[in-house]
Amino acid sequence: MDYHADRFDDHSLMLYRNGRLFALLPANERGDTIYSHQGLTYGGLVTDKKAVASTVCEAVDALNGTLRHEGFRRVIYKPLPWIYQQMPAEEDLYAIFVKCNARLIERDVSSTICLSRRLRFEESRRSGIRKALRQGLTVCESKDLNAFWDILMDNLARQYKASPVHSVDEMHLLMRRFPDNIRLFMVYDDQHAVAGTLLYITPQVVHTQYISASPKGKSLGALDLLFDQLINGQKFSQPYFDFGTSALADTCEINKSLIFQKQGFGGRGVCYDWYEWTL
């Protein structure tokens, strides 16, 4: 997380039990509030396979005690969505309910595909694939991040008057540090890039961090071909393919056109939740 450390006042914690590292909590502070973590899509306690309900409850008690002693009054907690867990690990949700009286304050819905039980694409997506194939578009893995970023920035500016969360320099840095976990796939019309997606790859999930197409790429069905190749052609070992959330900026309202596209590929809902409690 250090690439954007200047944007947050870090307050990440390491929790020990009997002298052994038991859990991590990526976190930052703002005033009298602890967030887990405002620079991450999801956070929550990171534990190993030895964590059970009783010990996680102890950890949450210890966490609350430490935060009260440090003068904090509120916690905003974003747990790890279950699809990212390498084994069932929702003890933290139980602990913050019984120990903190935590309340749900925000819920976003992500569109996720179980790759072992893929649904058939909707006709609108299959039609786009046929159009892209007729036009001779091709899909391949690429290192041309700058070309993709030009498409992405133009698309976000035109549609939403927005810009990517990451700068292109930050993304170059992250790709150098994690070459096996951050991969770019692009669609080409001859030698000209018309669409792409940047994938974050974890042990359980292939996650689309960014998706974008040029006006020409949209008209030719480039994204339909791209996700057909990734979902049905590329042999990922991960069980889930996650398109991410489709909420409008700073709201829980759904961007209907965006989620319509993701659902057309077979994406179905997984919730990304935020909880709050007072100390």
Side-chain angles (χ1 to χ4, degrees):
M1 298 185 294
D2 59 344
Y3 80 92
H4 60 20
D6 59 314
R7 303 179 201 171
F8 303 98
D9 191 355
D10 190 83
H11 202 98
S12 298
L13 297 169
M14 302 169 72
L15 287 76
Y16 289 82
R17 186 172 187 271
N18 297 328
R20 174 182 172 273
L21 183 63
F22 176 77
L24 310 174
L25 181 68
N28 69 285
E29 63 179 81
R30 180 171 291 181
D32 63 357
T33 301
I34 286 287
Y35 294 84
S36 76
H37 177 299
Q38 287 180 294
L40 299 175
T41 303
Y42 48 79
L45 285 172
V46 181
T47 59
D48 64 16
K49 63 185 179 182
K50 294 184 179 180
V52 295
S54 59
T55 54
V56 173
C57 285
E58 291 173 8
V60 168
D61 272 339
L63 172 68
N64 286 342
T66 295
L67 293 177
R68 286 192 198 97
H69 179 74
E70 293 176 344
F72 294 103
R73 294 292 176 262
R74 186 172 70 131
V75 178
I76 305 295
Y77 186 83
K78 295 186 290 187
L80 185 71
W82 64 267
I83 55 173
Y84 289 88
Q85 298 167 359
Q86 295 187 61
M87 60 187 301
E90 293 187 338
E91 289 86 358
D92 61 332
L93 295 183
Y94 173 75
I96 66 173
F97 175 75
V98 300
K99 295 292 184 178
C100 312
N101 196 29
R103 66 185 187 94
L104 180 67
I105 59 170
E106 185 172 325
R107 168 166 283 170
D108 296 327
V109 65
S110 186
S111 300
T112 303
I113 296 169
C114 177
L115 291 175
S116 65
R117 300 183 66 183
R118 298 188 299 273
L119 300 176
R120 191 180 187 212
F121 286 7
E122 297 288 343
E123 175 55 30
S124 57
R125 305 279 66 88
R126 299 201 303 273
S127 174
I129 295 167
R130 293 192 295 268
K131 181 187 295 184
L133 291 173
R134 285 196 302 269
Q135 296 297 321
L137 301 190
T138 57
V139 177
C140 66
E141 189 165 3
S142 173
K143 300 296 183 182
D144 194 358
L145 184 65
N146 288 335
F148 175 64
W149 224 250
D150 288 342
I151 295 172
L152 177 66
M153 291 183 66
D154 178 67
N155 195 28
L156 289 176
R158 281 188 296 100
Q159 284 198 277
Y160 306 109
K161 294 182 173 58
S163 57
V165 174
H166 303 84
S167 71
V168 69
D169 290 336
E170 289 172 342
M171 191 53 65
H172 274 297
L173 173 66
L174 289 171
M175 291 181 75
R176 286 195 300 271
R177 289 181 177 177
F178 304 100
D180 296 329
N181 301 98
I182 303 178
R183 297 168 64 183
L184 175 64
F185 287 84
M186 299 277 283
V187 184
Y188 291 90
D189 179 19
D190 195 12
Q191 300 299 314
H192 181 64
V194 295
T197 186
L198 194 68
L199 302 180
Y200 280 14
I201 300 174
T202 69
Q204 292 292 107
V205 179
V206 178
H207 170 72
T208 58
Q209 177 65 20
Y210 292 108
I211 304 168
S212 204
S214 68
K216 182 177 183 180
K218 291 179 182 178
S219 70
L220 297 179
L223 290 177
D224 296 321
L225 180 65
L226 174 62
F227 287 113
D228 179 52
Q229 292 290 317
L230 293 176
I231 295 166
N232 296 317
Q234 189 79 19
K235 300 300 183 184
F236 291 111
S237 61
Q238 289 75 11
Y240 299 106
F241 191 99
D242 181 44
F243 283 103
T245 61
S246 301
L248 295 168
D250 301 320
T251 75
C252 291
E253 294 297 317
I254 286 176
N255 182 324
K256 293 182 179 179
S257 63
L258 184 57
I259 202 168
F260 175 81
Q261 181 188 48
K262 296 173 181 179
Q263 291 170 346
F265 295 119
R268 295 297 184 265
V270 169
C271 288
Y272 284 40
D273 291 343
W274 297 41
Y275 293 87
E276 176 188 47
W277 68 87
T278 54
L279 294 165

